[in-house]
Amino acid sequence: TNRESSVEFWGKCRVSFISYTEEAFIKNSHEACLGVVPTRNEKLKNNFFKPSSRVRKLFSVGVPAIGSKKCYMLNEFLTEFLTEDQFPVEYLQADSLASWEKNIRYWLSHKAELDLLAKKGYECVLREFSPKRTARQWINFLNDVWVQSKK
């Protein structure tokens, strides 16, 4: 979160909010079995890239995550490696308190599926979002622009 670190209790559930820094992310991701990445409000700058990139970043360190259904970029990422029969996308996106609760309960009570999801997501990030692949895509794009500018 972008707010100060704090702890709240939602009923009997202890919820830790951790100020986002690279160091805090690395430290806490090693302790997590599931990430929860909601959006704060309806502004485009908060819903377009940030939540989906944080979900990808969690998967990149082997932590599966649930993200906001309001972020369409998240759906695009999830469909890269999910198949409906294996992992329904609806269990990885939420848009209401009831759906967040349902999805968190689902994953925490299906440990084998959660582990497989972590593996599939990790493999997808390595395959589709590696620095080498990103660099290659930029090189190809810039080469295409260069070629088109010479016509």
Side-chain angles (χ1 to χ4, degrees):
T1 181
N2 291 330
R3 69 183 200 183
E4 292 295 315
S5 295
S6 63
V7 174
E8 295 179 6
F9 285 88
W10 298 356
K12 293 181 181 180
C13 182
R14 181 178 187 265
V15 178
S16 299
F17 294 90
I18 301 163
S19 294
Y20 187 85
T21 65
E22 190 66 23
E23 296 79 21
F25 173 83
I26 292 166
K27 176 185 177 280
N28 290 290
S29 64
H30 295 294
E31 300 171 5
C33 66
L34 179 66
V36 177
V37 186
T39 54
R40 290 190 318 179
N41 56 43
E42 299 298 320
K43 292 181 183 174
L44 181 62
K45 71 179 183 123
N46 293 320
N47 289 335
F48 195 61
F49 292 115
K50 189 185 260 183
S52 61
S53 67
R54 287 195 178 164
V55 167
R56 277 194 310 274
K57 189 166 186 166
L58 282 164
F59 273 102
S60 78
V61 294
V63 178
I66 301 169
S68 175
K69 194 178 238 178
K70 297 171 187 170
C71 181
Y72 87 88
M73 296 295 291
L74 176 61
N75 190 59
E76 190 173 301
F77 164 66
L78 293 173
T79 56
E80 290 283 332
F81 68 94
L82 296 178
T83 57
E84 279 299 314
D85 58 319
Q86 220 177 11
F87 306 111
V89 173
E90 68 197 53
Y91 287 118
L92 290 165
Q93 295 179 310
D95 61 357
S96 68
L97 186 56
S99 62
W100 285 103
E101 179 183 4
K102 178 189 82 162
N103 293 348
I104 291 168
R105 285 183 186 276
Y106 175 83
W107 289 112
L108 294 180
S109 64
H110 291 82
K111 182 70 171 129
E113 289 90 344
L114 186 64
D115 290 344
L116 183 58
L117 175 67
K119 181 180 184 292
K120 294 281 188 185
Y122 174 77
E123 290 169 349
C124 176
V125 172
L126 285 181
R127 184 179 63 250
E128 301 295 328
F129 298 94
S130 70
K132 185 176 181 178
R133 177 163 183 190
T134 301
R136 174 58 48 204
Q137 288 173 321
W138 274 107
I139 290 168
N140 290 341
F141 170 75
L142 294 172
N143 186 55
D144 290 347
V145 169
W146 175 258
V147 168
Q148 291 300 319
S149 72
K150 296 298 179 185
K151 290 183 178 180

